[in-house]
Amino acid sequence: MTIKGLVQPSDEYKLDHELDLIIEGESEFYKIKGEVYDTPAFFNPVMVLNRDLTILFTKLQSVIQQRKIRVFEPLGGIGVRAIRLAKEIPDAVESVTINDLGEVSSNLAAYNINESKTNSIVAQYQREAKALMAELAELRFKYQLIDLDPFGPPVEFLDFLWGIAQRNSIVCVTATDMTALCGVFPESCLRKYGALSNNNYQTHETAARILIASVVRSAARFEKVADPIFTVSSDHYIKIFFKVNDSRGIANEMANKIKRVGSCTKCQKFKFLEIEETFECHEAKIFGPLWSGNLFNQELCNQALEIMKSLNLPSSEKIEKFLLEGKESHNIPYYYALEYIASFLHINTPKFEKIQHLLNKKGFKANKTLFRKQAIRTDASLEELLGIALEVSDI
Ligand SMILES: C[S@@+](CC[C@H](N)C(=O)[O-])C[C@H]1O[C@@H](n2cnc3c(N)ncnc32)[C@H](O)[C@@H]1O
Ligand SMILES: [Zn+2]
């Protein structure tokens, strides 16, 4: 059975570009000389964190499944992620399949795969990603981890994931269209994600929740459950990891967790709203629909923290902070910005540590968040929090 578009590794780069040798993690590969967005084959060094996360969660998945796993990257670029998986965690991967429609990317990936001697693990296609995924699904190919890493929004590819995602697989989805997701261009968000985004103090968590809702809804249409286990907002992108399973019943429950959120930009009151419920406050607005459930699976974040100790990932320090938020945020939705508390109460911006100390003393949870500097995630009510802010205030 042959699938159209299979590319053979190549011992020479056939096109006419100057190349640079790059070292990332424990792997070496070539990129085309030039600035990130000016070259005809995309490679962004800033995405090292994104690639490290894929390596970590691939390893985690192989530990959970107690076997080497099959990985698929439908938008593989010049093959960096696949080479890193094959070189850095060979004990975790049975195969890595990559694909890219671009002529230059594909040529360079073929050369990189050959040079890195990873061709016994990495298979490469040059196809339109949706067409390839539909064909793989028809042929009943299944993967235990799929990494979708597009330019901009992932939405056009989502419906094609579920036919090739094995039961209990991990699917991770990146979005880089932050201007849409963060409410700079709300019409664009409405068109692509069917949701109203916001650009207030909650913007990055709202963006993540809108993206999650898109993935959950797409999976639910195919009677699949896509349960978010880890959420990262960094640099110019959001990346979410989902555990994927089959269950019409649970898919219904997941779809019911997609709600609108009412939010007040003056006092920071917010509420996930039931159908037809309204929301009133000083400066009330309604956003979404978006995901109202958990952003993290605490147990898996903890397991990932342990596994990371055995890996040599360039961004491990940063990843540790994200995983700790996953482990310790207790999945409390949203956070309160300290400067908004200050302006609402007409006091100086309160010190995080002081508020945290008093909240903890009263038995509440209180943590920082990586979604926003100077903000607090707590299970105390807004009234309680405002009272404590006044108590610690030096005006
Ligand atoms: C963000 S880049 C991928 C980067 C890569 N994952 C990495 O870690 O370096 C997106 C890639 O998708 C490819 N692409 C865009 N649309 C595509 C499509 N419909 N089918 C296949 N490839 C596509 C582009 O050529 C580009 O190389
Ligand atoms: Zn209000």
Side-chain angles (χ1 to χ4, degrees):
M1 167 188 26
T2 45
I3 299 172
K4 209 175 76 184
L6 186 67
V7 179
Q8 296 302 333
S10 168
D11 61 5
E12 58 170 330
Y13 177 65
K14 299 191 184 79
L15 300 175
D16 188 20
H17 301 107
E18 263 191 83
L19 303 180
D20 274 338
L21 180 67
I22 303 286
I23 299 173
E24 184 178 288
E26 292 169 0
S27 309
E28 288 186 2
F29 51 89
Y30 291 93
K31 74 175 245 322
I32 293 187
K33 222 182 211 0
E35 293 302 313
V36 176
Y37 293 100
D38 289 344
T39 72
F42 187 79
F43 169 71
N44 190 350
V46 167
M47 289 302 225
V48 57
L49 167 73
N50 190 314
R51 286 184 283 273
D52 281 358
L53 286 169
T54 303
I55 292 172
L56 176 60
F57 276 77
T58 301
K59 178 79 181 174
L60 173 70
Q61 177 70 325
S62 97
V63 170
I64 294 170
Q65 307 229 319
Q66 297 180 313
R67 52 177 283 198
K68 288 187 170 193
I69 64 162
R70 290 190 299 278
V71 179
F72 180 49
E73 194 192 357
L75 305 166
I78 62 172
V80 181
R81 208 169 290 236
I83 291 167
R84 287 199 56 196
L85 287 164
K87 283 267 177 202
E88 295 176 36
I89 48 166
D91 56 331
V93 286
E94 178 187 307
S95 66
V96 186
T97 303
I98 60 166
N99 170 66
D100 203 286
L101 188 58
E103 178 76 17
V104 183
S105 307
S106 291
N107 264 280
L108 190 50
Y111 182 57
N112 277 330
I113 291 165
N114 191 72
E115 288 296 295
S116 60
K117 301 188 175 54
T118 51
N119 43 310
S120 61
I121 294 180
V122 183
Q124 187 195 349
Y125 291 91
Q126 185 181 354
R127 289 281 298 278
E128 199 293 312
K130 298 185 287 299
L132 177 62
M133 288 194 273
E135 188 171 340
L136 291 170
E138 188 181 9
L139 295 170
R140 300 188 184 283
F141 278 68
K142 300 279 181 205
Y143 300 90
Q144 286 96 30
L145 188 135
I146 305 174
D147 186 338
L148 184 63
D149 180 34
F151 292 136
V155 283
E156 67 173 296
F157 302 105
L158 296 179
D159 283 358
F160 295 83
L161 294 169
W162 317 116
I164 53 171
Q166 190 157 65
R167 181 187 286 240
N168 270 321
S169 58
I170 290 179
V171 166
C172 47
V173 176
T174 298
T176 63
D177 55 335
M178 298 310 288
T179 48
L181 283 167
C182 288
V184 180
F185 299 122
E187 298 85 358
S188 169
C189 189
L190 207 50
R191 174 170 52 79
K192 291 187 277 192
Y193 297 91
L196 201 61
S197 47
N198 76 25
N199 60 1
N200 68 15
Y201 58 95
Q202 293 175 327
T203 188
H204 283 91
E205 186 166 329
T206 297
R209 290 180 180 279
I210 288 174
L211 174 60
I212 293 172
S214 245
V215 178
V216 167
R217 215 185 280 113
S218 166
R221 279 198 287 277
F222 297 84
E223 299 182 2
K224 301 273 183 191
V225 178
D227 193 12
I229 56 173
F230 185 55
T231 302
V232 164
S233 165
S234 180
D235 305 298
H236 61 293
Y237 67 93
I238 288 178
K239 180 169 186 162
I240 324 254
F241 290 76
F242 298 86
K243 193 94 191 176
V244 177
N245 266 303
D246 301 340
S247 164
R248 188 189 301 173
I250 302 176
N252 285 344
E253 285 172 28
M254 300 287 286
N256 282 334
K257 288 188 194 169
I258 297 174
K259 299 185 175 182
R260 296 163 303 132
V261 65
S263 160
C264 174
T265 34
K266 193 165 170 78
C267 73
Q268 300 191 81
K269 182 174 165 188
F270 74 90
K271 186 170 191 293
F272 291 118
L273 305 172
E274 299 306 325
I275 298 169
E276 294 189 9
E277 189 178 349
T278 56
F279 180 79
E280 285 173 18
C281 210
H282 312 83
E283 287 171 13
K285 283 199 176 140
I286 294 180
F287 303 105
L290 44 71
W291 175 245
S292 68
N294 293 347
L295 301 182
F296 304 103
N297 176 312
Q298 285 173 272
E299 203 181 307
L300 292 178
C301 287
N302 201 23
Q303 213 175 335
L305 272 166
E306 281 306 307
I307 285 173
M308 199 166 63
K309 292 179 190 156
S310 67
L311 302 174
N312 187 14
L313 300 173
S315 22
S316 56
E317 259 179 52
K318 217 167 169 187
I319 294 176
E320 189 180 357
K321 288 187 187 151
F322 285 114
L323 288 171
L324 281 174
E325 175 156 12
K327 193 181 148 198
E328 292 167 0
S329 71
H330 305 281
N331 277 310
I332 296 164
Y334 286 118
Y335 43 80
Y336 298 99
L338 297 182
E339 72 268 33
Y340 277 67
I341 293 180
S343 92
F344 181 62
L345 295 175
H346 304 290
I347 57 175
N348 291 329
T349 305
K351 290 253 175 329
F352 173 87
E353 287 71 19
K354 281 190 176 173
I355 294 205
Q356 183 188 41
H357 178 71
L358 269 193
L359 281 169
N360 287 159
K361 227 168 108 181
K362 294 194 178 188
F364 295 112
K365 297 176 178 104
N367 289 94
K368 285 196 170 155
T369 172
L370 294 169
F371 284 98
R372 187 182 172 94
K373 283 187 187 138
Q374 294 288 315
I376 195 157
R377 209 185 268 286
T378 176
D379 55 350
S381 67
L382 178 60
E383 291 70 26
E384 193 85 41
L385 176 65
L386 293 176
I388 286 176
L390 278 175
E391 241 177 272
V392 302
S393 148
D394 52 7
I395 303 297

